Amino acid sequence: MKKLRNLFLLLTIIAMLISLPSIDFGIKAFADANSSSNIIDDKDSEAIDGDTTKPNEGTQKSGDKFNDNKTISDSINTDGIPTTTSDNAYVDNKTKYHIIDSKLPKITPTWGYYTRVRNMDVPNNYTSIDSINTGSTTFRTKWFLPEGFHVSPGEHGNYQGGIIANNSIYFVESAGTNTNKGSIVKIELDALDKMGIDTSTQQNILAQVFNFFNKNSAYGSDHSKKLSDFIVNTDAYRKNNINIQTKIANMKKAIKIANLKVETNQKTFNNATKQAKKKLAKNIKTNRKAVKKLNKNLKNQKKKHAKAKIINKIKKQITKLNKTYGKLNAKKRDMSKLTPKAFKTFNRVKKAQVKLINKDNKQISAWNAQVNHNNREIDRIGQRNDLFSKYFDLSKLLTISPVTNIGHGQTLSYNPSNNHVYLAQDDKLGVVGDDFYNQVTEMDAENMNPVHVYRFKLNNNGHYYAIHTLTFDNDGNAYFGVRGGPKKMKGSYTLFHGTMNESGIQFTPVKGLIKWPGSFNQGVTYNRNNNRLYLLSNDMIISIPVDEVRNDNIQPQDVHYTTFGTNREFESLSFDSSGYGYLVVLWRSEVLKSTAPID
C-alpha cells in the first residue's frame, strides 16, 4: 500500500508539472534621452493558448486554494521541507536593452484555428520550411495519443507540456482551458519501441487501444464492460499461463545445468583421451624403434652366419613387438580401450543427463501445449479481439495518474546537475499582487519526494510577477523567458538567467532581446547534448547557446531559427540523451520525434 501511495504521489506531482497553455507578460520601457526603464508590464497581454476567445484577464489576486504558498496541492505536503525564501529575487542590471540583429525566418504566426489531423493510419512527417544559422529539421510521428486517458464531460483529452528525465517521458492530458486540472502519462522511452510501436505501421496502436475503451462514449462503455467480463472470465487461464511460464523458466534452468554437466564431462573425457593418445603415441614410437633395431641386428647376424638359435630368438622378439604394435593400434581406434575408466564415466554421465534433458524438454512441450490451449480459450472469450491483449500489454508499460491539479503548465523542468525535478506552481500569470510568492518545489527525480522549497517574489520597482517557464542547464543554472520587451522594442523576447539553490535565489534579465516572429511562448527547455537553450512557439523553434545567454553576449549568428508550416499547436519540446527532439503537438494529439539530433 505504501508503494502504491508513493506512486500516486509521484504521478500527482508530475501531473501538476506540465500543463495548460502559456500566457506572457510584456516589458514596457519609459524611454527618454537619458534613461531606459526595465519595468515589466502586461499591458500587451496574450490570450490563453489554444483558446483565443478567452484573453488573459491581467492582474490577478493571490490567495486561492491552489496558490496559498503552503502546499503544492492537497496531496503534496511540504511542511518540514527546507525552504529558501527571498522577498525579491529580481536583480536589475540597469543596462539598456538592445535587439539581437538576427535575420528572421519565414513564418506565419499561428494563434489559433489549428489544422485538425484525423488520419492515424500513416505517420506524419514535417520538415522545416526555413532555418536561420542552422540546418533543416524533420519530425516524424512516434506515437499518436488517445482522445484521453481520463476523458470525462469536463475534459478536453488534449495534451500539453512534457519533459524527459532518466529515460522516461512525461506529458500531461489537460482537463480543459482554465480548469487547472489534468492527468499525467509516464512512459519509458524504449518500452513501446520493444512492442514494435515505433515502426511505420504501429504508431496508432496506443491511441486505438485507449480510444477503444473510452468510457465516455457508448461504444467505449460497451467495450469496457466486455473488457471487465473478459478479465474475469480469462483470469484462471492467464494465472495458469503465468504459473506454467514460471515452471518452464525453472525447468530451462535445470536443462542448462544438465547441459553444462554434459559439456564438463565431455571436456574431462577429451582431456583424458588426449593424455592417453600422447602416451600411446610414445609407446608406438618406442615399439617401432625397438623393431627397427632388431631388424638391423638380424641382418648383421645373417651376414655373420650366426647360429640359427640366435637368429630365431631375434625373430621371436620382432614378432612379439609386432603383436604389441597391433594391440596399440587397436587402442588408438577404440576409445573404450584407450581410456576404459574415463570412457565408462563419460558414458554414464552423458546417458543420465541426456535422459534428464529429454524428459524435461518433453515436459516443456506439454506445458507449451497447455499455454497454447489457454491462449486459444482467451482468444475465444475475447472474440479474438487483439485490442484486449494489447490493452494488457500497454497497461504494464504506462503509468497514468488520476485527474488532479496541474496549474497552467510549461514549468516542469529537470536539473541534470543534481538529478532533481522542479515544479513552479503557476496558477497566476503576468502581474500579480504584492503578497504573491512564486513557489518552486525541488523533488527527487526517482521518487518525486520534495527535498526543498523556494519561495520568492519578483519585484521590479513595485511590479510583481509570476514565472511560468523554467529550465536548468548542466551546471544547475536556471532560466526562464517571456514574450515581450520594452515598449519601443515590439516583436522581441526577454530571457532571464539566475540561480536557485540553498544559498539564495536571483534572476537577471538578459539585455540582448531575441527577435520573436512567432505566436505564443509555449516553453523554455534545455538540450543537454549540445548545451543549448530552446524557446518554443507554434511552428517555431529558437535555440541559443546557454553560455552566451548567461554571459549576456548573444551574437546574431548564435540565434538558430527553425520554422514549420504545420499550422498545428506546438505544446512542448524535450530531448533524449542523444539530442533527438520529442515534440508534443495538437490536434490530433501526438508525439513527434526528430529524425536526427537537433542543432
Side-chain angles (χ1 to χ4, degrees):
M1 179 61 70
K2 182 178 180 182
K3 183 177 181 181
L4 183 61
R5 186 168 60 252
N6 288 340
L7 176 60
F8 176 80
L9 173 62
L10 180 151
L11 295 170
T12 302
I13 295 175
I14 302 175
M16 299 163 51
L17 307 182
I18 317 174
S19 157
L20 297 174
S22 52
I23 309 175
D24 266 329
F25 43 90
I27 297 178
K28 179 180 179 182
F30 298 92
D32 56 35
N34 300 316
S35 65
S36 174
S37 172
N38 292 324
I39 295 294
I40 299 177
D41 204 352
D42 70 343
K43 297 299 183 182
D44 185 22
S45 60
E46 291 186 1
I48 291 180
D49 172 22
D51 189 351
T52 55
T53 64
K54 296 182 179 180
N56 179 17
E57 296 178 356
T59 301
Q60 303 178 55
K61 297 179 181 180
S62 58
D64 65 63
K65 64 180 179 179
F66 293 126
N67 203 338
D68 59 8
N69 301 315
K70 295 179 181 179
T71 59
I72 294 299
S73 77
D74 293 339
S75 301
I76 308 167
N77 189 353
T78 58
D79 290 345
I81 301 299
T83 301
T84 299
T85 302
S86 172
D87 284 332
N88 191 13
Y90 188 100
V91 179
D92 191 347
N93 58 14
K94 302 298 183 182
T95 306
K96 291 184 178 180
Y97 291 109
H98 67 276
I99 296 179
I100 307 299
D101 191 20
S102 304
K103 180 182 177 183
L104 287 178
K106 299 175 184 176
I107 183 174
T108 300
T110 305
W111 297 96
Y113 305 102
Y114 303 106
T115 298
R116 264 54 177 175
V117 174
R118 304 187 185 280
N119 185 8
M120 292 191 300
D121 294 333
V122 180
N124 292 308
N125 286 274
Y126 297 119
T127 299
S128 54
I129 60 172
D130 197 11
S131 57
I132 302 296
N133 298 325
T134 186
S136 65
T137 297
T138 298
F139 283 99
R140 186 174 186 271
T141 303
K142 185 174 180 66
W143 309 307
F144 285 106
L145 299 177
E147 292 176 0
F149 295 99
H150 285 282
V151 171
S152 68
E155 292 183 60
H156 276 227
N158 68 347
Y159 302 86
Q160 303 294 322
I163 63 167
I164 291 177
N166 298 326
N167 201 37
S168 294
I169 185 169
Y170 304 80
F171 50 89
V172 170
E173 176 195 355
S174 168
T177 302
N178 292 330
T179 65
N180 294 325
K181 297 291 184 180
S183 57
I184 293 294
V185 180
K186 176 188 176 184
I187 310 176
E188 293 182 12
L189 284 175
D190 59 349
L192 294 183
D193 293 351
K194 290 178 181 178
M195 290 182 61
I197 294 182
D198 203 25
T199 66
S200 60
T201 59
Q202 292 292 298
Q203 291 94 337
N204 60 357
I205 290 296
L206 187 64
Q208 283 185 340
V209 167
F210 285 93
N211 288 345
F212 186 79
F213 296 104
N214 182 346
K215 294 181 180 180
N216 199 46
S217 63
Y219 71 90
S221 179
D222 180 59
H223 294 158
S224 292
K225 182 181 182 305
K226 289 180 179 178
L227 175 63
S228 178
D229 294 339
F230 170 77
I231 293 172
V232 171
N233 296 331
T234 61
D235 183 65
Y237 295 111
R238 287 183 284 108
K239 285 181 177 178
N240 187 234
N241 278 350
I242 293 173
N243 184 44
I244 289 174
Q245 293 297 345
T246 301
K247 290 181 178 179
I248 290 176
N250 291 334
M251 188 157 284
K252 284 183 176 180
K253 289 180 181 178
I255 291 174
K256 185 177 180 179
I257 292 173
N259 279 321
L260 183 60
K261 287 183 178 179
V262 172
E263 183 181 342
T264 302
N265 179 53
Q266 182 72 58
K267 288 180 179 179
T268 301
F269 176 66
N270 289 344
N271 186 55
T273 302
K274 183 179 180 180
Q275 297 301 321
K277 284 182 177 180
K278 285 183 178 180
K279 186 176 181 180
L280 178 62
K282 185 177 180 180
N283 290 337
I284 289 175
K285 186 176 182 180
T286 300
N287 180 283
R288 291 299 86 193
K289 282 184 177 180
V291 171
K292 185 178 181 181
K293 185 176 181 180
L294 286 172
N295 282 327
K296 185 177 182 180
N297 187 24
L298 180 62
K299 187 176 180 181
N300 290 335
Q301 291 298 330
K302 285 182 178 181
K303 286 182 179 180
K304 294 178 181 180
H305 303 286
K307 293 180 180 181
K309 183 178 180 180
I310 295 174
I311 292 173
N312 288 335
K313 183 179 179 180
I314 294 172
K315 286 182 177 179
K316 286 181 180 180
Q317 290 175 336
I318 292 173
T319 300
K320 185 177 180 180
L321 287 171
N322 282 333
K323 285 183 179 180
T324 300
Y325 174 70
K327 291 180 180 180
L328 291 173
N329 272 332
K331 287 185 177 181
K332 187 176 180 180
R333 293 188 295 270
D334 189 345
M335 295 292 103
S336 63
K337 293 180 179 180
L338 181 63
T339 54
K341 186 176 180 180
F343 183 77
K344 184 178 180 180
T345 301
F346 168 74
N347 274 339
R348 177 176 56 79
V349 173
K350 183 178 180 180
K351 184 178 180 181
Q353 296 306 316
V354 168
K355 183 178 180 181
L356 175 63
I357 291 170
N358 289 337
K359 179 182 177 182
D360 287 354
N361 280 328
K362 185 176 181 180
Q363 179 61 66
I364 288 175
S365 296
W367 280 337
N368 281 328
Q370 182 62 44
V371 169
N372 291 335
H373 167 75
N374 290 343
N375 287 336
R376 286 193 296 270
E377 289 301 301
I378 290 172
D379 287 342
R380 179 185 62 79
I381 295 171
Q383 299 178 339
R384 298 192 177 278
N385 193 319
D386 183 54
L387 292 184
F388 281 178
S389 60
K390 285 287 186 183
Y391 181 86
F392 284 118
D393 293 338
L394 288 170
S395 66
K396 298 173 185 176
L397 304 179
L398 278 72
T399 304
I400 307 169
S401 78
V403 174
T404 186
N405 175 39
I406 57 174
H408 281 84
Q410 318 311 110
T411 55
L412 177 65
S413 56
Y414 174 66
N415 188 342
S417 71
N418 58 13
N419 194 33
H420 286 177
V421 170
Y422 292 71
L423 166 65
Q425 184 180 2
D426 64 339
D427 294 30
K428 303 277 185 273
L429 303 176
V431 176
V432 292
D434 59 7
D435 61 341
F436 177 86
Y437 281 85
N438 290 282
Q439 179 165 305
V440 177
T441 300
E442 177 184 353
M443 297 163 285
D444 184 277
E446 293 294 336
N447 55 35
M448 301 305 289
N449 290 329
V451 298
H452 203 90
V453 174
Y454 302 92
R455 300 179 64 248
F456 57 96
K457 295 181 181 181
L458 289 172
N459 175 12
N460 185 14
N461 293 327
H463 290 67
Y464 293 82
Y465 311 106
I467 67 171
H468 66 285
T469 60
L470 182 65
T471 194
F472 294 85
D473 66 19
N474 281 327
D475 298 320
N477 299 299
Y479 306 84
F480 71 89
V482 297
R483 183 181 65 86
K487 187 174 183 180
K488 293 184 178 180
M489 294 182 178
K490 297 292 185 180
S492 60
Y493 188 97
T494 306
L495 283 166
F496 289 74
H497 68 90
T499 56
M500 185 185 300
N501 51 50
E502 296 178 8
S503 300
I505 312 162
Q506 66 175 35
F507 286 99
T508 301
V510 177
K511 65 182 179 182
L513 304 180
I514 308 302
K515 289 183 179 179
W516 186 265
S519 58
F520 300 110
N521 172 24
Q522 295 284 31
V524 178
T525 188
Y526 173 70
N527 185 347
R528 285 174 282 160
N529 190 65
N530 62 6
N531 200 35
R532 294 181 72 89
L533 203 65
Y534 288 76
L535 319 177
L536 184 68
S537 182
N538 296 330
D539 270 333
M540 184 178 74
I541 299 171
I542 302 175
S543 79
I544 311 160
V546 292
D547 291 342
E548 304 309 323
V549 173
R550 194 171 57 258
N551 296 331
D552 209 343
N553 188 34
I554 305 171
Q555 302 300 313
Q557 64 271 19
D558 295 328
V559 186
H560 295 184
Y561 290 90
T562 306
T563 59
F564 299 82
T566 68
N567 197 46
R568 299 182 68 181
E569 187 172 1
F570 286 21
E571 285 299 340
S572 73
L573 178 66
S574 51
F575 299 90
D576 63 21
S577 59
S578 299
Y580 285 83
Y582 289 72
L583 180 67
V584 175
V585 302
L586 306 179
W587 306 78
R588 109 180 13 249
S589 307
E590 61 181 296
V591 177
L592 300 148
K593 180 182 178 181
S594 64
T595 57
I598 296 180
D599 185 20

